Each structure stands twice: as structure tokens, then as C-alpha cells.
Amino acid sequence: MVDKLLKIGKWLWNAKERMVLAAMFCILCYRAYEVFYPPPPPPEKRLEFPKKSLEDVDPSFVPPQPRTRMPSDLPGAYAGLYNRNPFWYHARAQGGEQQKEITPKDLGLSLHAIREVGGRLRAQLSTMSVKRRWYDEGEQFEEYELQEIDPESNTVVVYAERYARRFTLSKE
């Protein structure tokens, strides 16, 4: 009897790779069968038409009311946040110097001409970086905004974002 058990154990030990191979072949055949004959898909949940009023709906499914928007108390001129060039020398604030009265000459702005073109007023201005260029009323350039053009007195009003002030330029 012991001889028979040893013989069966030896045969199982020598045939273990074949048994694993046979089991993997059976799994492969089953997977191939599933590819060619797939099982039916699970039934989908049928969606209902939306209800016209919220009274018929469970209150746990109703979303809460959105929060009211907080009023903004910031000033309206945001152009300084995105127009200021940090790599330009004149864009930086001069913090260490004594504060003196700023004039349009200190800004490097000068007015050369005022003309009416197509029913709108245009002013020819020059800055430290731009020689001469025509601007419309309300147009922004560099860190300035041309706010008003007065052809009768030959003056323009320019708002400088760096100083948060309006400057009046007159024709030279």
C-alpha cells in the first residue's frame, strides 16, 4: 500500500506542470467562449421624464439654493493688474526716493496734436518708449489711459495708473 501511495505521489509531483497547463488552457477556452458568445448586458434602469413641479419630488433630491454673490468693494480700475510690465524700468514704483510733486514732464508724456477723424477726436502723444502715436479717447496705452480730449483748449487728460492720478497735458 505504501508503494502505491509513493508511486501516486511521484506521478503527481512529475505531472504538476501539466496539470497547471491544463487548468490554464481551460480558463483560456472559457474566456474565448465569452468573447464569441458574450453574456447579455444587465438591464438598464429606465429614466423617468422630469416632473413639472418640485412638489412631487423627494426633498432630499432637490439641490440647495446657490449663495448670493458678495458685493465687490474693490475699485473699478483693474488694468494696472495686467498692463504693468514688471521688466520695464519705469513700471516699478520708486519707493526709496523723496516724494515730490509729479508733473507731466516727469511722466515723459507730451501732447503734439489733436485732430477730428471720422467724427471722433484723436490725440497724438509721445511717451518715453514710443515716439509719436495717435490715440482715441478712452484708449489705454502702456500704463496710461487717455480719458478726455478738449480741442478748444488744446489739452488732454491722461490717467496714470502708477500714481493713480489724472494729469492734464497741453500742446507744446
Side-chain angles (χ1 to χ4, degrees), residues 68-74:
T68 58
R69 185 172 176 217
M70 298 297 292
S72 176
D73 59 346
L74 298 174

mmCIF file of all heavy atoms in Angstrom, residues 68-74:
data_model
loop_
_atom_site.group_PDB
_atom_site.id
_atom_site.type_symbol
_atom_site.label_atom_id
_atom_site.label_comp_id
_atom_site.label_asym_id
_atom_site.label_seq_id
_atom_site.Cartn_x
_atom_site.Cartn_y
_atom_site.Cartn_z
ATOM 1 N N THR A 68 -25.752 83.912 -2.472
ATOM 2 C CA THR A 68 -25.784 85.193 -3.169
ATOM 3 C C THR A 68 -24.360 85.685 -3.351
ATOM 4 O O THR A 68 -23.475 85.415 -2.535
ATOM 5 C CB THR A 68 -26.592 86.229 -2.371
ATOM 6 O OG1 THR A 68 -26.000 86.370 -1.081
ATOM 7 C CG2 THR A 68 -28.041 85.803 -2.235
ATOM 8 N N ARG A 69 -24.130 86.404 -4.425
ATOM 9 C CA ARG A 69 -22.791 86.889 -4.737
ATOM 10 C C ARG A 69 -22.440 88.040 -3.809
ATOM 11 O O ARG A 69 -23.240 88.959 -3.618
ATOM 12 C CB ARG A 69 -22.749 87.345 -6.193
ATOM 13 C CG ARG A 69 -21.389 87.743 -6.626
ATOM 14 C CD ARG A 69 -21.363 87.991 -8.109
ATOM 15 N NE ARG A 69 -20.050 88.474 -8.472
ATOM 16 C CZ ARG A 69 -19.827 89.390 -9.385
ATOM 17 N NH1 ARG A 69 -20.824 89.892 -10.062
ATOM 18 N NH2 ARG A 69 -18.621 89.793 -9.649
ATOM 19 N N MET A 70 -21.238 87.981 -3.264
ATOM 20 C CA MET A 70 -20.788 89.039 -2.363
ATOM 21 C C MET A 70 -20.497 90.293 -3.181
ATOM 22 O O MET A 70 -19.862 90.214 -4.234
ATOM 23 C CB MET A 70 -19.521 88.613 -1.620
ATOM 24 C CG MET A 70 -19.711 87.401 -0.734
ATOM 25 S SD MET A 70 -20.886 87.665 0.595
ATOM 26 C CE MET A 70 -19.996 88.816 1.571
ATOM 27 N N PRO A 71 -20.949 91.453 -2.721
ATOM 28 C CA PRO A 71 -20.660 92.674 -3.475
ATOM 29 C C PRO A 71 -19.170 92.995 -3.398
ATOM 30 O O PRO A 71 -18.528 92.823 -2.376
ATOM 31 C CB PRO A 71 -21.499 93.742 -2.770
ATOM 32 C CG PRO A 71 -21.729 93.207 -1.408
ATOM 33 C CD PRO A 71 -21.755 91.707 -1.536
ATOM 34 N N SER A 72 -18.642 93.453 -4.510
ATOM 35 C CA SER A 72 -17.227 93.776 -4.583
ATOM 36 C C SER A 72 -17.017 95.215 -4.138
ATOM 37 O O SER A 72 -17.657 96.130 -4.639
ATOM 38 C CB SER A 72 -16.735 93.583 -6.016
ATOM 39 O OG SER A 72 -15.408 93.973 -6.110
ATOM 40 N N ASP A 73 -16.108 95.390 -3.187
ATOM 41 C CA ASP A 73 -15.821 96.749 -2.720
ATOM 42 C C ASP A 73 -14.490 97.250 -3.283
ATOM 43 O O ASP A 73 -13.967 98.255 -2.834
ATOM 44 C CB ASP A 73 -15.805 96.801 -1.193
ATOM 45 C CG ASP A 73 -14.763 95.861 -0.599
ATOM 46 O OD1 ASP A 73 -14.258 94.996 -1.337
ATOM 47 O OD2 ASP A 73 -14.466 96.009 0.587
ATOM 48 N N LEU A 74 -13.942 96.547 -4.279
ATOM 49 C CA LEU A 74 -12.692 96.970 -4.874
ATOM 50 C C LEU A 74 -12.939 98.082 -5.880
ATOM 51 O O LEU A 74 -14.008 98.162 -6.472
ATOM 52 C CB LEU A 74 -12.020 95.789 -5.584
ATOM 53 C CG LEU A 74 -11.635 94.625 -4.682
ATOM 54 C CD1 LEU A 74 -11.117 93.471 -5.526
ATOM 55 C CD2 LEU A 74 -10.574 95.059 -3.702
#
